[in-house]
Amino acid sequence: MLAYTVIAGILFAWALFSHRLARWSITAPLAMMAAGISLTVGSHPPLTFEFDNSAFEHAVEVVLALLLFVDATEVPGAVIRRERAVVTRLLAIGLPLTLGAAFLAGLACFPDQPYWLLAALATVVIPLDLAPTTAVVRDRRIPARLREVLNVEGGLNDGLISPVFLLCLAIGVESHAGGSTDYSEALLEAVTSAGWALAAGAATGVTASWTLRRAWARGWTQASATRLAVLAVPIAAYTLSVALGGNGFVASFVAGVCFAPALRHLGRGAVEMADDVLTLFLLALWFVFGQIVNNEFWDGFEAPVLLFALLAVTLVRMLPVLLALSGTPLSVRDRLFLGWMGPRGVPSIVFGLLAVVELPDERGGFIAQVMVMTVMLSIVLHGLSVEPLARRYARRTAAPRA
């Protein structure tokens, strides 16, 4: 319990000085990560977490379910309609090409690893997370169109990648158990699971949206109760899908997509409680990430891990994005910006932790080590590049005015 007390104390201390710390780009995730690294280092650290237990696994699953739901509800529908061509190209063309490029990069860097593990690794290191570089979506020097497109892509791509990750993980678990790895059977199982997930998520999201809108319009409920109801939606979707044999994460994401239109008709801040609960979970997760950094790099790391991580945060995303956006009205500079700004964070950490829990041998540790290196490189490279890129855009917009 002492670990949770320390986490709460660090969060409270950061909150006291958050405005001043923001001037040095010290966000809450970075502060929690630094605290986790410093308090879990050494052979006898003052704090430690155990990853190989069911309670931790369930906690990570709840975090991912809430994350997918909140991401889906926060995707602005107006931006999707206005930037339909760009968003469609990024998700329908750029995302599959990026996964393929990550797989090929893994094959080049780790030729001895099985294909299913490299495919799982690709799904771990590809999802976007704008939280470590929140300045990019708030800096008005960067064109609003680019910030909106990144926001939409970041809100949708982890929900699209999660079923692929779980399929690769299921194949890996079967392989680790010594069973025959029948890819066609695993694929059929995944399709069936996705079908139940779509049904459970859509039913939960549509039902909750319709009933809550009616209750709000007729004055049957109040703002505080509405926030509780919104928090219950992803939990209901996840548990219903799992009970039916479906993918709970896909169900949570679909529920968020179906529920999102109702938020326009509810009171202000209807999703705030779900967002705040998710934020608390995510900050605790960043603290745990600090321990993972120590665990994976206490004995050092190999050069292929660094090479793959460097490719994952640069060319693996940039080249597919440039290819997907060719022929669009976006300038080459804007395409390069969208290709470069692909920060990795919480989705990669959650997927990596699930891999560690489900694959308790050296393969889970391998995914964790590569994930940690990728996230750390992304925090440094993308975090340091936001300000210079914003200045360049500011100079470009100032020149015509002059």
Side-chain angles (χ1 to χ4, degrees):
M1 295 302 292
L2 179 60
Y4 301 104
T5 305
V6 172
I7 292 175
I10 294 170
L11 178 60
F12 184 79
W14 174 86
L16 291 177
F17 304 100
S18 60
H19 183 66
R20 291 184 176 272
L21 293 174
R23 299 177 183 177
W24 293 283
S25 298
I26 302 178
T27 60
L30 292 181
M32 296 300 288
M33 180 185 68
I37 293 175
S38 61
L39 293 176
T40 60
V41 69
S43 55
H44 299 286
L47 296 177
T48 185
F49 291 89
E50 296 295 333
F51 300 144
D52 55 347
N53 59 71
S54 59
F56 182 82
E57 181 181 4
H58 293 326
V60 173
E61 290 173 350
V62 170
V63 170
L64 183 56
L66 284 173
L67 174 66
L68 294 175
F69 176 81
V70 172
D71 280 353
T73 58
E74 291 182 345
V75 172
V79 176
I80 295 179
R81 291 189 293 271
R82 187 167 58 249
E83 301 293 346
R84 180 167 50 240
V86 174
V87 172
T88 301
R89 282 172 173 263
L90 284 174
L91 295 177
I93 301 175
L95 183 57
L97 289 178
T98 304
L99 286 171
F103 176 80
L104 293 177
L107 193 61
C109 295
F110 314 109
D112 297 332
Q113 297 293 349
Y115 289 165
W116 67 262
L117 186 63
L118 298 178
L121 181 62
T123 61
V124 168
V125 300
I126 289 308
L128 305 187
D129 179 24
L130 299 178
T133 55
T134 51
V136 74
V137 294
R138 296 177 181 173
D139 199 321
R140 296 186 178 275
R141 293 173 295 178
I142 299 172
R145 182 182 191 184
L146 301 182
R147 289 184 279 121
E148 290 172 346
V149 168
L150 277 177
N151 199 22
V152 171
E153 185 189 8
L156 293 177
N157 73 345
D158 50 0
L160 299 175
I161 290 175
S162 62
V164 184
F165 164 74
L166 292 174
L167 171 62
C168 298
L169 200 61
I171 294 175
V173 171
E174 184 70 19
S175 175
H176 176 72
S180 60
T181 306
D182 188 347
Y183 292 99
S184 59
E185 183 178 344
L187 182 60
L188 179 61
E189 210 174 299
V191 171
T192 305
S193 177
W196 282 114
L198 288 172
T204 304
V206 171
T207 302
S209 173
W210 186 86
T211 54
L212 199 55
R213 282 177 58 182
R214 296 300 183 276
W216 179 263
R218 298 180 183 182
W220 295 345
T221 185
Q222 52 189 358
S224 58
T226 300
R227 291 192 289 271
L228 284 171
V230 173
L231 178 61
V233 174
I235 299 174
Y238 177 85
T239 52
L240 176 61
S241 179
V242 171
L244 294 174
N247 185 321
F249 304 130
V250 174
S252 299
F253 180 75
V254 173
V257 173
C258 295
F259 187 81
L263 295 177
R264 298 194 303 268
H265 306 279
L266 301 177
R268 291 186 59 186
V271 77
E272 280 184 359
M273 179 174 289
D275 200 11
D276 289 342
V277 170
L278 175 63
T279 300
L280 285 174
F281 281 141
L282 294 183
L283 292 178
L285 197 62
W286 278 106
F287 187 93
V288 174
F289 179 71
Q291 178 178 329
I292 301 174
V293 172
N294 291 325
N295 291 348
E296 299 304 327
F297 294 111
W298 181 254
D299 298 324
F301 58 89
E302 299 178 355
V305 173
L306 176 60
L307 176 60
F308 176 84
L310 188 60
L311 290 173
V313 299
T314 55
L315 296 179
V316 162
R317 172 173 166 82
M318 292 183 70
L319 294 180
V321 168
L322 290 175
L323 184 61
L325 296 180
S326 61
T328 62
L330 291 172
S331 66
V332 175
R333 180 180 306 202
D334 291 345
R335 294 177 212 165
L336 286 172
F337 176 83
L338 291 175
W340 169 252
M341 286 311 303
R344 313 308 201 268
V346 168
S348 295
I349 296 172
V350 173
F351 288 163
L353 285 173
L354 288 176
V356 170
V357 172
E358 295 293 336
L359 304 171
D361 61 353
E362 69 281 356
R363 291 176 176 174
F366 164 74
I367 288 183
Q369 188 175 66
V370 179
M371 176 272 293
V372 168
M373 180 62 76
T374 303
V375 172
M376 295 293 287
L377 270 179
S378 175
I379 289 173
V380 174
L381 295 178
H382 293 124
L384 293 178
S385 62
V386 171
E387 180 61 26
L389 290 173
R391 284 200 300 264
R392 291 190 64 180
Y393 271 109
R395 286 196 298 267
R396 189 181 72 167
T397 54
R401 294 176 184 174

